[in-house]
Amino acid sequence: MPFAQYRKKTRQIHVGPVPVGGGAPVAVQSMTNTRTEDVAATVRQINALEAVGCDIIRVAVPGEEAARAIGAIKKGIHIPLIADIHFDYKLAILAAESGADGLRINPGNIGGGEKIQAVAACAKDHGLPIRIGVNAGSLEQDILDKYHGVTPEAMVESGLRHIGLLTDLDFHDIKISLKASDVYRTLAAYRLMSERVDYPLHVGVTEAGSLFPGVVKSSLGIGMLLAEGIGDTIRVSLTRDPVDEVRVAYEILSALNLRRRGPEIISCPTCGRTSIDLFSIVEQVEEALKTSRVPLKIAIMGCVVNGPGEARDADLGIAGGKGVGILFSKGRVLRKCAEADLVTELLKEIETFEKNS
Ligand code: SF4
């Protein structure tokens, strides 16, 4: 199936070396949940996120100590870092001076023209983009009154207001997000905004929840927009280890044939013919290949009778029997192995493929 379906053309910006919008691959973002001033823990988490494919990381900057820590964090990481700031323009300037690659700040919330001017001038001097993040939970009162509540139109008007404050200063390195915690408002707000502006859009469903609701809401919200060509960077929000956010983000991109990283692992749902612990085998293989970049389709099937045939298009696969299983490729049996060795044998084959490619 072809990659890179229709994408809405947006203006390209750069977050550090990573291009966003303008035809660049959809970038995957996440956010740390360590205390930013704890440099060692933050660096460790960012490197774990980079290992699973995070392109851009955002850190909360609630105070001066966190802003100053950015310099030390940057020395230990390899992906661009965005400083997330609320209200205090001095923190934005300090974060920029400490080496942040981008700022997430809403110009309408920092109080007054001079402060906005100072942030925009500082961002320009350092070549940093600014992400405006409209959140359904914190819209301006006059906009809420005008629209009688948090509607997609209200979110877009708030976004346009923030954008106007920067474009009036001839600042255009802008990226926008419009997050609501429900899918319908998120979809409607992004669709409207993408008709109004050509700035790149950072897409996500906020406060999506724990694993199950979070994956479903994010897959629908982010997935439907991406399928319509909307979205230049994405963030899956989950109440759990951010490494899982990145893994889910790639699953969404891969399911839409927009971007793939590492192997595609398919597995059968199991049935009455299964006589091995397929759940645990799948988990072992997924864990072992978590950071792998090898572009293989790997099938993990519950029985030797139907497994290889059902997964005929897999580059490599295993199918379990009773006591023995088989290793197969493109529907052909490669060899038999003891059931206990199936995972090890599969991983060896993958390693050989990786070495030869
Ligand atoms: Fe059942 Fe075998 Fe199909 Fe898995 S591959 S669902 S075990 S028939």
Side-chain angles (χ1 to χ4, degrees):
M1 207 182 286
F3 273 67
Q5 299 148 343
Y6 161 74
R7 314 283 331 134
K8 184 180 183 276
K9 185 97 175 117
T10 49
R11 177 192 285 261
Q12 189 165 81
I13 63 164
H14 282 81
V15 184
V18 177
V20 173
V26 177
V28 172
Q29 295 199 29
S30 187
M31 187 169 183
T32 52
N33 58 11
T34 52
R35 297 190 68 77
T36 305
E37 51 272 31
D38 183 344
V39 173
T42 305
V43 164
R44 206 176 315 121
Q45 187 168 64
I46 295 174
N47 286 332
L49 287 162
E50 185 194 349
V52 290
C54 182
D55 297 307
I56 299 168
I57 189 69
R58 180 159 53 111
V59 302
V61 179
E64 271 188 37
E65 213 188 327
R68 288 189 207 287
I70 289 173
I73 294 168
K74 285 275 298 175
K75 288 198 182 105
I77 65 172
H78 322 93
I79 55 176
L81 177 149
I82 293 176
D84 186 285
I85 293 137
H86 290 265
F87 309 117
D88 188 344
Y89 84 106
K90 284 195 196 132
L91 286 181
I93 291 172
L94 194 54
E97 286 167 352
S98 301
D101 299 285
L103 301 173
R104 192 273 193 181
I105 188 164
N106 288 348
N109 297 350
I110 59 178
E114 274 174 28
K115 293 175 180 169
I116 300 168
Q117 255 173 10
V119 171
C122 174
K124 241 186 205 169
D125 283 353
H126 289 85
L128 310 186
I130 295 180
R131 165 150 74 93
I132 293 168
V134 174
N135 201 307
S138 51
L139 294 185
E140 299 88 331
Q141 193 54 50
D142 65 309
I143 293 182
L144 288 173
D145 293 343
K146 178 175 169 188
Y147 290 94
H148 306 292
V150 184
T151 63
E153 291 78 10
M155 291 171 68
V156 169
E157 181 158 332
S158 172
L160 292 173
R161 190 181 283 182
H162 290 295
I163 293 168
L165 292 170
L166 292 179
T167 53
D168 284 353
L169 299 168
D170 200 24
F171 188 94
H172 300 278
D173 267 357
I174 299 170
K175 186 167 60 148
I176 303 151
S177 66
L178 298 152
K179 293 189 184 174
S181 55
D182 63 287
V183 171
Y184 277 117
R185 267 188 305 186
T186 303
L187 293 175
Y190 276 103
R191 283 172 184 148
L192 276 177
M193 185 58 100
S194 93
E195 283 168 13
R196 299 290 298 271
V197 300
D198 68 351
Y199 294 112
L201 297 178
H202 169 85
V203 170
V205 181
T206 194
E207 298 133 22
S210 60
L211 188 63
F212 281 104
V215 167
V216 172
K217 278 189 189 177
S218 295
S219 305
L220 284 169
I222 297 172
M224 285 172 80
L225 289 168
L226 288 175
E228 293 170 23
I230 298 171
D232 303 286
T233 91
I234 62 171
R235 192 233 170 152
V236 170
S237 292
L238 297 176
T239 314
R240 57 191 282 130
D241 185 342
V243 161
D244 289 333
E245 297 185 347
V246 174
R247 291 173 72 181
V248 174
Y250 276 98
E251 291 296 338
I252 295 172
L253 291 171
S254 152
L256 290 167
N257 283 305
L258 283 170
R259 202 173 157 192
R260 180 157 294 139
R261 183 192 156 90
E264 180 186 4
I265 301 174
I266 58 166
S267 54
C268 81
T270 72
C271 72
R273 288 189 191 85
T274 321
S275 51
I276 50 164
D277 183 359
L278 203 70
F279 296 176
S280 137
I281 290 180
V282 170
E283 269 170 30
Q284 286 174 53
V285 174
E286 275 182 352
E287 189 55 35
L289 298 177
K290 205 163 68 177
T291 56
S292 168
R293 304 292 303 265
V294 63
L296 289 175
K297 184 166 183 173
I298 295 158
I300 304 170
M301 309 300 279
C303 73
V304 288
V305 186
N306 294 340
E310 283 182 26
R312 200 167 282 120
D313 61 338
D315 298 299
L316 278 171
I318 49 177
K322 233 190 189 133
V324 289
I326 55 161
L327 197 64
F328 64 90
S329 170
K330 302 278 182 196
R332 276 183 314 106
V333 176
L334 294 180
R335 59 181 182 273
K336 260 191 188 170
C337 3
E339 189 186 307
D341 300 333
L342 276 174
V343 173
T344 322
E345 291 297 315
L346 175 71
L347 295 176
K348 264 194 223 155
E349 277 305 315
I350 295 168
E351 214 179 296
T352 311
F353 177 90
E354 223 166 355
K355 271 188 201 140
N356 299 335
S357 61

